Amino acid sequence: GVGSAVASARAGIRQEADYGHLFYWSPVLLGSGAAWWFALDLAPSVAPLLFLCMASSVAWLLLGPWRPLARAVATAAGLMAAGALLAAWETARRDTIILDGPVTATVRGIVTGKEIDSQGRWRYEIRLIETEKPVLKRAPAAIRVTALGRGEGLAVGEGIEGRARLSPPSGPALAGLNDFAFDAYFGGVGASGFFYGSPHVWTVPDASKTDALIARWLQGLEALRGEISARIRSILPGDAGAFASSMVTDDRRAMSKETTEALRLAGLTHIIAISGLNMALAAGLFFVGLRALLSLSQEISHRWPVKKIAAGGALVTVTLYYLISGFSVSAERAYIMMAIMLVAVFFGRPSISLRNVALSALAILVFSPSALMGPGFQMSYAATLALV
């Protein structure tokens, strides 16, 4: 009857809790709440979600470990409400202004990023400062614009000016497919388009220059990433260099359409996205190499924790690699998992486990729950779960 089913569920939950397996469901429940919030046509009020979180916390404390089933239900409700609250917080925090409709205007701003495609055209990400003819009343804070001209392009951090055709970010091609407008909103980009002709350097007014340390640091990283990509392509021209730069800096636009289509047909498109393979190579080569090098000396290997030293060096290496990787979701997931694995070496814990997968998913969902709705997050974690 119902009583035996409840008793069986209670015993099963208690057993899972004893083995520490209930923690694995935390990112699932947190992500379910965020997905529910993003799927709604009208955003619900935050007050009931806050009340549900607090009520679940109080219930969790009052129920105690002797009522595992009721405690599990309260925890599940609280985590789902917390996921919805995180989604609401990220949406309010982004507050991206999206262009109302297509327009042609003169744009002026600062280059915050750039990528080159297979035809030598530059796509600039621009922090928009002002517009002219017409002056946009609700101008986006950031735009992506492709320059049809050739050349070296403007440097990251440089002022840029040109006549451009701007359009709002496009939605999904078909119902149920990836929503590019959703990605653009949470990426902070309010419009995309192309320049008429080649843009030119614009002298940025002092009042428009940013002194924020983080902004200048990110700008410097983007400039370094571009220089590394250009260096790779100068040594390896053509698709070979474009493929190599995609593996190092995640700069994929330089690859020709024919090569991209060939990779897609072969089912190998995921290789050009920085993920676990890249992070494992970056950390593993350094970890194994440094450990082998230190082990050549008996005095060092007997007196010092060689494995932990190698893990520390590998952690620094993989962190530097992540900083030039473009901060994609797959790279973020792989970096967090690799960092957890290397830190686990310091404490003598298992490196590869479902707990590490759950911890990395929780970290991403807490800081950017919108990543859950993208194919990168879903495919990355589906593959990682299957492997582990």
Side-chain angles (χ1 to χ4, degrees):
V2 177
S4 61
V6 171
S8 177
R10 185 182 293 111
I13 290 175
R14 187 183 297 277
Q15 184 179 17
E16 292 295 314
D18 291 340
Y19 282 100
H21 293 171
L22 291 182
F23 175 75
Y24 302 156
W25 289 95
S26 299
V28 177
L29 295 168
L30 201 69
S32 298
W36 169 78
W37 196 93
F38 286 127
L40 294 175
D41 294 328
L42 185 64
S45 174
V46 173
L49 297 173
L50 282 171
F51 175 78
L52 181 56
C53 272
M54 291 186 291
S56 299
S57 301
V58 173
W60 186 87
L61 291 172
L62 294 178
L63 290 170
W66 50 87
R67 292 183 179 177
L69 182 59
R71 202 179 197 189
V73 172
T75 303
L79 284 173
M80 291 186 68
L85 284 172
L86 288 170
W89 177 58
E90 186 187 16
T91 303
R93 187 175 77 247
R94 295 294 183 182
D95 196 24
T96 303
I97 297 176
I98 302 294
L99 190 67
D100 296 328
V103 65
T104 298
T106 300
V107 297
R108 301 186 183 97
I110 299 175
V111 178
T112 57
K114 66 175 186 177
E115 293 178 330
I116 192 171
D117 64 11
S118 59
Q119 301 177 11
R121 299 176 300 185
W122 288 101
R123 186 180 73 167
Y124 296 101
E125 186 164 323
I126 301 169
R127 179 166 67 87
L128 193 61
I129 294 177
E130 62 183 43
T131 60
E132 189 177 62
K133 298 179 183 179
V135 176
L136 301 180
K137 294 181 179 180
R138 293 185 71 256
I143 59 175
R144 287 196 184 108
V145 191
T146 300
L148 301 180
R150 305 293 192 270
E152 294 297 325
L154 279 69
V156 174
E158 206 167 22
I160 187 171
E161 178 182 12
R163 192 75 175 167
R165 178 67 175 177
L166 301 177
S167 301
S170 58
L174 294 172
L177 296 185
N178 186 44
D179 189 349
F180 297 100
F182 181 91
D183 298 338
Y185 177 89
F186 287 98
V189 178
S192 59
F194 58 89
F195 281 112
Y196 291 107
S198 299
H200 53 271
V201 178
W202 175 60
T203 303
V204 182
D206 292 336
S208 300
K209 294 179 180 178
T210 178
D211 293 326
L213 180 61
I214 295 179
R216 287 190 282 113
W217 180 70
L218 291 174
Q219 203 173 85
L221 280 179
E222 188 63 32
L224 176 62
R225 178 170 171 251
E227 291 173 3
I228 293 173
S229 296
R231 175 65 176 170
I232 293 173
R233 290 195 300 270
S234 67
I235 297 174
L236 295 173
D239 283 337
F243 183 85
S245 65
S246 71
M247 294 288 286
V248 176
T249 64
D250 205 30
D251 185 358
R252 302 174 230 171
R253 285 178 58 85
M255 197 174 299
S256 67
K257 292 182 179 180
E258 293 78 14
T259 300
T260 303
E261 184 65 19
L263 288 169
R264 185 179 293 113
L265 292 174
L268 298 174
T269 311
H270 62 281
I271 291 179
I272 60 176
I274 292 180
S275 57
L277 171 65
N278 311 65
M279 293 291 174
L281 287 173
L285 289 174
F286 193 94
F287 177 80
V288 174
L290 182 59
R291 187 179 183 185
L293 184 64
L294 294 176
S295 298
L296 294 176
S297 171
Q298 291 188 6
E299 184 176 354
I300 293 177
S301 60
H302 289 166
R303 290 178 177 270
W304 298 91
V306 172
K307 184 178 180 180
K308 295 181 180 180
I309 293 174
L315 181 59
V316 173
T317 301
V318 78
T319 300
L320 294 175
Y321 180 42
Y322 172 66
L323 293 177
I324 63 169
S325 68
F327 304 110
S328 65
V329 174
S330 59
E332 185 178 0
R333 189 270 310 161
Y335 169 72
I336 294 174
M337 281 199 65
M338 189 58 63
I340 292 173
M341 290 171 61
L342 293 171
V343 171
V345 174
F346 297 154
F347 299 97
R349 301 294 299 273
S351 298
I352 301 177
S353 67
L354 285 176
R355 183 170 293 271
N356 291 351
V357 180
L359 283 172
S360 64
L362 281 174
I364 295 175
L365 290 172
V366 167
F367 293 104
S368 54
S370 61
L372 171 71
M373 308 304 290
F377 182 96
Q378 297 167 16
M379 295 179 67
S380 179
Y381 274 97
T384 305
L385 281 171
L387 289 171
V388 173

